[in-house]
Amino acid sequence: MSTNLFIPTAEAAFIASLTDRQMNRVVDEHLVPEPLFEQRGNNRLFTRLGAAFANFYFATEDLLVAGARRQILDELGARVSRLELKDQVLTLTRLDSMSWKVERNHIEVDVLPFLQAASYRAKDVEWADALVATNPEVMDGMPVFAGTRVPVSVVLGSMAAGIDLDRLKASYPFLTESHIQAARVYEEVHPRRGRPRRM
């Protein structure tokens, strides 16, 4: 399976609307089919489909017992493995390639809404990655708004300190609500390690 199909835990957690801890449980307890996640050294990586399946697993725990949820995901995983367009399904870019309904004891379970929700959140990540950039030549590689030298952390820190968007726009005229939302998504998906740098 291609390595670019896999995303880090923080991004998978965002797409799944789950915590990093829940995504780690997915690996530790094998809650989704194994081809949908990987362990590389200390890093745990997931396909976007694996993230969507994780969301289904946790979101339906009050409705279905664990064994039933695993059976549903195993059956769907087996269907995906037989597809010609498997990679597009694993990245949630083609959801119309097969039926996402599974019948168990005269009850039909449709997993498609969980996949669609995860697909929308994956698009939020792509959009954030387009509006925020990192380059070692610009601000020592700090995340900045694309095409500028304005660090994302400065703008979000200012907002957290109570400075409103209109006041920030006086200093940074390019800023829009979309930039702010993209910055928040970017920081959630790409958490910084260690102590923040001083400006």
Side-chain angles (χ1 to χ4, degrees):
M1 201 177 290
S2 171
T3 54
N4 63 354
L5 293 176
F6 288 89
I7 56 175
T9 302
E11 185 174 339
F14 178 84
I15 289 171
S17 295
L18 299 172
T19 64
D20 285 4
R21 186 177 192 168
Q22 287 171 309
M23 292 310 296
N24 283 319
R25 274 189 62 198
V26 168
V27 176
D28 294 337
E29 300 173 28
H30 302 275
L31 302 180
V32 303
E34 287 202 27
L36 303 183
F37 64 86
E38 277 187 4
Q39 176 101 27
R40 291 189 204 148
N42 291 329
N43 296 322
R44 291 172 165 195
L45 304 168
F46 302 83
T47 61
R48 287 176 170 181
L49 181 64
F53 277 10
N55 174 266
F56 166 82
Y57 185 88
F58 285 104
T60 57
E61 64 187 344
D62 291 341
L63 302 171
L64 299 165
V65 297
R69 285 176 278 155
R70 282 192 179 128
Q71 283 179 3
I72 289 166
L73 295 179
D74 285 343
E75 181 173 325
L76 292 173
R79 287 184 204 169
V80 169
S81 70
R82 294 188 294 268
L83 291 174
E84 278 186 40
L85 300 170
K86 178 170 66 172
D87 286 3
Q88 292 174 308
V89 174
L90 293 172
T91 57
L92 300 179
T93 53
R94 275 299 291 276
L95 298 177
D96 59 350
S97 303
M98 61 176 236
S99 170
W100 295 99
K101 293 178 180 174
V102 176
E103 195 170 311
R104 283 279 174 277
N105 299 324
H106 309 295
I107 296 171
E108 186 177 79
V109 177
D110 188 359
V111 179
L112 184 59
F114 298 92
L115 305 182
Q116 290 169 329
S119 177
Y120 295 139
R121 289 178 69 82
K123 286 183 176 115
D124 287 345
V125 172
E126 290 168 7
W127 165 66
D129 285 341
L131 288 181
V132 177
T134 57
N135 180 336
E137 305 294 317
V138 178
M139 301 299 287
D140 291 328
M142 288 178 75
V144 297
F145 291 100
T148 77
R149 296 177 60 80
V150 179
V152 164
S153 58
V154 168
V155 171
L156 292 181
S158 298
M159 293 195 81
I163 298 172
D164 66 23
L165 181 58
D166 289 336
R167 198 160 143 215
L168 283 169
K169 280 174 135 177
S171 299
Y172 312 116
F174 69 88
L175 271 183
T176 63
E177 286 283 355
S178 291
H179 284 95
I180 302 301
Q181 186 57 33
R184 289 183 175 133
V185 170
Y186 188 92
E187 285 219 328
E188 190 172 339
V189 169
H190 304 283
R192 285 178 284 170
R193 304 282 179 233
R195 269 195 284 187
R197 281 179 235 181
R198 288 183 164 273
M199 287 296 292

